[in-house]
Structures are given as structure tokens and as C-alpha cells.
Amino acid sequence: MAIQDTSLLAYQTLYRSGRGPTTALKILKAMKPGRKYTQAQLEQLTGMRANSVSGRLNELVDRKFVHREVEQTRCPITKALVHRVYRPRAIRAKVKVAA
């Protein structure tokens, strides 16, 4: 299965979870698989505010759609030490198919 296919399954899973096309989906779609981002970079990519990105990133990490690095890195935008996040190369999602 191609990366695009597994990502589509992940989007469908989030959509079917009752949340619909949310800010979490917008963040997930903005992230290229394997590339690492700071929250400030995702704010710029999505045009969303810090509080929206922060909450949705936590949700995506909890649901294992996005991973957070253990070590801290200096953010190129804010210059603060932060934990970057990244989307795995392939997202495995369980999708319930309606009969």
C-alpha cells in the first residue's frame, strides 16, 4: 500500500471518528511523512493560531498519527528549545467499513 493510501486511511479514520474535517486533519495534511516540524512551523504552514495547533498536535500524538521527539531542538522561528513532531512514513489505521 502506498503512503498516499495509508494517509488517506488515516484521514478517513479521523473523519469517521465524528470529528469530521477538523483542524487536526489540516495539520496532518500539512505534514510531509518523515519530516520534522516545530509547532511554530506548523502554525505558519496551516495559518492556524498557537492554541489550536498545540491542542490538535497533542490529540494527534495521543492517537499515534504523529510522534514527538524526545530530545529538544532549537526552533528556527522562535529560537526556543522545543520537541519537534513528525508524521511516520506510513500511517496504519483501522478503518471500520459500513456494511
Side-chain angles (χ1 to χ4, degrees):
M1 192 176 291
I3 290 172
Q4 293 90 349
D5 296 333
T6 55
S7 295
L8 179 59
L9 288 174
Y11 302 146
Q12 290 171 346
T13 299
L14 277 175
Y15 187 83
R16 290 180 181 151
S17 72
R19 299 185 195 289
T22 64
T23 52
L25 285 176
K26 189 174 182 180
I27 292 169
L28 193 59
K29 287 180 182 180
M31 297 176 75
K32 293 180 182 176
R35 182 168 175 198
K36 297 174 182 178
Y37 300 89
T38 66
Q39 180 178 318
Q41 289 172 316
L42 289 170
E43 290 165 21
Q44 283 188 345
L45 277 174
T46 61
M48 294 169 27
R49 293 184 174 177
N51 59 344
S52 295
V53 173
S54 177
R56 298 307 68 80
L57 274 178
N58 289 334
E59 177 183 325
L60 289 167
V61 169
D62 290 345
R63 296 186 70 174
K64 302 199 184 337
F65 287 109
V66 172
H67 299 282
R68 187 172 278 124
E69 287 187 321
V70 175
E71 68 275 359
Q72 291 185 317
T73 306
R74 195 154 306 275
C75 175
I77 298 169
T78 65
K79 307 303 183 214
L81 285 176
V82 296
H83 297 275
R84 295 184 300 179
V85 294
Y86 62 96
R87 196 176 102 193
R89 293 235 176 248
I91 299 172
R92 297 181 192 271
K94 295 179 182 178
V95 178
K96 295 179 183 177
V97 179

